[in-house]
Amino acid sequence: MTGGQETSGTAGDGFGTGDLSVVGRINTASNVTLVCDVVDGPRVVYKPVRGERPLWDFPDGTLAGREVASYLISDALGWGVIPETILREGPYGPGMVQRWVESVDNHTDRGDRLDLVDLCPVGAVPEGFCEVLRAQDDLGNEVSLIHADDPRLQRMAVLDVLLNNADRKGGHALEGTDGQIYGVDHGICLHVEHKLRTVLWGWAGQPVDDVLLADIEKFVAALPGELADRLAPHLADAEIDALGDRAGELLAAPVMPVPRTSRPIPWPAF
């Protein structure tokens, strides 16, 4: 489980070792989430372990390690979905530190374009988007929850299946100014029991792309060796085994899953 200190990072920019200067706090986050600048280095997100809210179904003090493990898995797959994430010391003790993503604000930067995950009036799903469900907004208007039908976002959805992500909200999928799509907030992942809750259900029942399956096959082959050793400080052995089982099941039946519970979407959805 979470333990030790991981200070790797891009050489020379202080990501792993430079002092953190707190810029502000993200108040919408469930756990203490601080925006920091590394002195003479990059901007980062810092989540101290001591600021984690206890959960009934995840061991206390393990969320930071699950964020690091999720990054290591994304990196091992070669997908680059999760920004570089490490466990290191900060002003409030050890915690997860992740590179900041400069993201596009479609509602201002691009003339009111839709975000990757958004709402639209029922019956008005635009081309290039998938409808997930229909509901009512705060004013009682009928709306559709939609997400972009984008292969970059679909790759994130496949990663969530492997991670058993219990909290893929719309705000956790970011369109970077560099043209990439990034996923953040992976503390509630990698449980041994089925926990998948996501807003990315638009591909349910559809085949997984062959290119992604080839990456997963290589991942399964590599998992029992050095990769498992890198995950071991952050996950229990049973959780690493369950990760391998989920990957193997996806290879055996390469179709995106359909909801299996009465609560398939996290709340709030954004």
Side-chain angles (χ1 to χ4, degrees):
M1 307 306 291
T2 302
Q5 186 170 326
E6 200 171 292
T7 57
S8 61
T10 302
D13 73 352
F15 175 66
T17 57
D19 291 339
L20 302 183
S21 173
V22 177
V23 175
R25 179 174 178 176
I26 301 176
N27 291 321
T28 55
S30 301
N31 301 295
V32 174
T33 303
L34 303 173
V35 180
C36 299
D37 285 335
V38 177
V39 176
D40 297 323
R43 175 154 291 187
V44 299
V45 173
Y46 163 52
K47 298 181 183 180
V49 173
R50 64 191 289 187
E52 294 179 4
R53 178 171 56 89
L55 299 171
W56 70 269
D57 52 350
F58 284 81
D60 292 351
T62 68
L63 304 192
R66 293 175 192 279
E67 296 240 33
V68 176
S70 296
Y71 162 72
L72 293 174
I73 293 163
S74 170
D75 186 57
L77 286 159
W79 291 355
V81 172
I82 301 175
E84 186 178 10
T85 309
I86 60 174
L87 189 69
R88 55 156 290 185
E89 283 292 332
Y92 299 103
M96 180 225 79
V97 172
Q98 184 175 83
R99 291 186 183 272
W100 178 263
V101 174
E102 289 291 343
S103 60
V104 172
D105 185 348
N106 286 319
H107 295 279
T108 58
D109 297 345
R110 298 190 178 182
D112 219 28
R113 282 181 49 181
L114 290 171
D115 286 328
L116 294 169
V117 182
D118 217 320
L119 298 173
C120 74
V122 168
V125 178
E127 184 178 355
F129 279 78
C130 302
E131 185 179 50
V132 177
L133 58 77
R134 298 181 178 185
Q136 290 185 336
D137 64 14
D138 294 340
L139 300 177
N141 300 313
E142 289 192 340
V143 294
S144 292
L145 174 65
I146 59 175
H147 66 68
D149 188 8
D150 187 310
R152 298 170 300 170
L153 194 62
Q154 188 174 22
R155 182 172 58 186
M156 183 187 298
V158 176
L159 178 63
D160 284 343
V161 174
L162 297 177
L163 296 179
N164 196 18
N165 191 348
D167 196 36
R168 176 61 73 201
K169 294 183 171 72
H172 297 169
L174 307 177
E175 182 179 1
T177 56
D178 60 0
Q180 301 299 315
I181 289 179
Y182 296 98
V184 298
D185 259 341
H186 297 90
I188 311 180
C189 287
L190 296 160
H191 201 285
V192 296
E193 299 175 6
H194 179 78
K195 296 282 183 179
L196 184 62
R197 289 193 294 270
T198 175
V199 295
L200 303 179
W201 285 112
W203 297 287
Q206 296 187 20
V208 178
D209 186 270
D210 287 343
V211 173
L212 300 181
L213 291 173
D215 293 335
I216 296 171
E217 190 170 8
K218 293 176 185 176
F219 174 84
V220 169
L223 181 58
E226 181 183 354
L227 179 55
D229 292 340
R230 296 179 68 196
L231 294 173
H234 311 297
L235 301 173
D237 289 347
E239 291 168 335
I240 297 174
D241 291 342
L243 166 65
D245 290 343
R246 288 191 296 273
E249 289 167 2
L250 199 57
L251 289 174
V255 175
M256 291 297 288
V258 298
R260 288 167 42 185
T261 69
S262 59
R263 291 185 57 212
I265 292 177
W267 187 259
F270 291 90

